[in-house]
Amino acid sequence: MPRIAAPKGVGSLFRLVIDYVATRFTKKTPGPMLIAVTDADDPRLGPYRDLPRRNLTRQSGLFIAEGEKVAERLIASDFELESILAEPEFAFKYEPLISKATPIYVAPRDLLMKTIGFRFHRGVLACGRRKPARRLGELLAKLSSRATLVVCPDVQDPTNLGSIIRSTAAFGCFALVLGPKCADPFSRRVLRVSMGAALHLPIIESANLAADVQRLIDADCELIAAVLDQTAEPLAAVRRNPRMALLLGSEGHGLSEEWLQLAHRRVTIPMQLGIDSLNVAIAAAVLLYHFCQTPADRNH
């Protein structure tokens, strides 16, 4: 079989991909569509193009998973995988793991970086399709007798939200409820920081957070507000109800009075050496470790 002409200057591994694709096409071997791309303007790469300037939003219906671990968690999840963009060695790695209907676009590193618009050395990106929005009522129908939820009315920083998602998943929480002002939990940065935990943790992007918080109260969830207040209960002394929801405030201003008034209790993390607060993501991890390890006080 004649060799397909490779673009000038491509490496030997990319040359191997081109030959492999040609062999697969000729022999009609089953498996994913391994597609060698040679032009950053190839329209099939649209979801990956210039990512720092045009990050895929909720309205696009898509999201990007960046790097091996997040891409693998997307593949292992029940989200629909639209495509993969990878350097050659990663393309061969993922080919056996995915549906034959899913294209794997293969590009040398310089072309991949030109396409996505930034320096990138992790070898692979994957594009997934978002699911329809979940409703809290559907999840509450499955709520067990002991459950921990996290509620974030206004966490806007993607790095903080990614860390909160990771901790919420790590400590076995039932779900995360986000207010309309929160960062997109499926943005590229949030997914990267959460290490793909958003693909497995139930996340509610609430359109009416006040109504959803009332649903939690009606489901016998105790609302515990994390605050900076010396009169609040110190964390070490707090025992939890079997069902609880932890309210976390915004990075700059904490919880507004609206949420504080709804809370059943207010809890604080005592600090020393003049430190008056912790980053909300760090505070979330400390609080969740305590509450997820603490036996429930059924008489509270």
Side-chain angles (χ1 to χ4, degrees):
M1 181 187 69
R3 290 162 61 90
I4 296 175
K8 185 178 180 180
V10 300
S12 58
L13 191 52
F14 192 60
R15 166 76 266 172
L16 178 62
V17 170
I18 292 175
D19 287 345
Y20 178 71
V21 170
T23 301
R24 284 277 300 275
F25 181 80
T26 301
K27 295 183 177 180
K28 295 183 171 58
T29 309
M33 294 182 285
L34 209 62
I35 301 168
V37 293
T38 59
D39 184 354
D41 293 324
D42 188 319
R44 295 171 296 185
L45 303 184
Y48 301 98
R49 188 166 295 113
D50 203 11
L51 291 177
R53 296 183 182 178
R54 51 172 301 278
N55 198 13
L56 296 176
T57 63
R58 293 174 174 93
Q59 289 72 34
S60 72
L62 303 173
F63 62 87
I64 295 296
E66 178 184 310
E68 282 186 86
K69 291 187 182 298
V70 184
E72 288 168 7
R73 285 172 183 167
L74 170 55
I75 292 169
S77 76
D78 58 2
F79 282 81
E80 182 180 349
L81 179 64
E82 289 283 306
S83 65
I84 289 176
L85 173 61
E87 294 179 38
E89 59 266 40
F90 292 93
F92 288 124
K93 174 182 176 180
Y94 291 114
E95 186 194 12
L97 304 179
I98 66 173
S99 163
K100 65 181 181 180
T102 303
I104 302 177
Y105 301 114
V106 190
R109 180 174 295 179
D110 58 346
L111 190 144
L112 187 151
M113 291 193 297
K114 182 179 179 181
T115 301
I116 65 177
F118 61 96
R119 295 186 66 81
F120 183 73
H121 302 285
R122 290 186 288 277
V124 60
L125 302 99
C127 179
R129 180 161 295 280
R130 296 173 188 246
K131 296 179 182 179
R134 280 176 154 165
R135 296 184 181 276
L136 182 60
E138 297 169 1
L139 280 182
L140 290 180
K142 305 173 184 176
L143 196 64
S144 61
S145 58
R146 177 184 168 110
T148 306
L149 296 91
V150 177
V151 180
C152 297
D154 191 19
V155 175
Q156 299 181 18
D157 181 81
T159 300
N160 283 339
L161 182 58
S163 295
I164 290 170
I165 291 172
R166 190 172 181 180
S167 295
T168 302
F171 294 116
C173 295
F174 179 75
L176 172 66
V177 183
L178 303 178
K181 295 182 181 179
C182 284
D184 178 2
F186 293 96
S187 72
R188 183 170 55 89
R189 184 182 299 179
V190 172
L191 277 175
R192 183 178 69 242
V193 175
S194 78
M195 294 302 292
L199 301 170
H200 300 278
L201 174 73
I203 297 177
I204 303 296
E205 296 182 76
S206 176
N208 187 338
L209 188 59
D212 277 338
V213 168
Q214 185 59 53
R215 288 186 180 93
L216 293 175
I217 295 172
D218 293 343
D220 296 325
C221 288
E222 181 182 43
L223 265 59
I224 299 180
V227 299
L228 298 174
D229 184 346
Q230 291 184 349
T231 66
E233 298 177 71
L235 179 62
V238 176
R239 291 175 69 86
R240 54 167 291 165
N241 271 10
R243 291 179 174 179
M244 64 158 285
L246 176 64
L247 289 164
L248 299 173
S250 67
E251 295 88 346
H253 305 288
L255 290 165
S256 68
E257 192 63 26
E258 173 187 10
W259 309 115
L260 292 176
Q261 289 299 321
L262 287 173
H264 298 105
R265 304 165 74 181
R266 302 182 187 187
V267 173
T268 193
I269 301 173
M271 285 167 266
Q272 301 181 35
L273 298 179
I275 303 301
D276 61 356
S277 66
L278 294 174
N279 170 279
V280 63
I282 295 173
V286 173
L287 291 158
L288 288 174
Y289 178 80
H290 172 82
F291 285 121
C292 293
Q293 301 296 319
T294 301
D297 183 354
R298 297 181 183 274
N299 299 315
H300 180 78

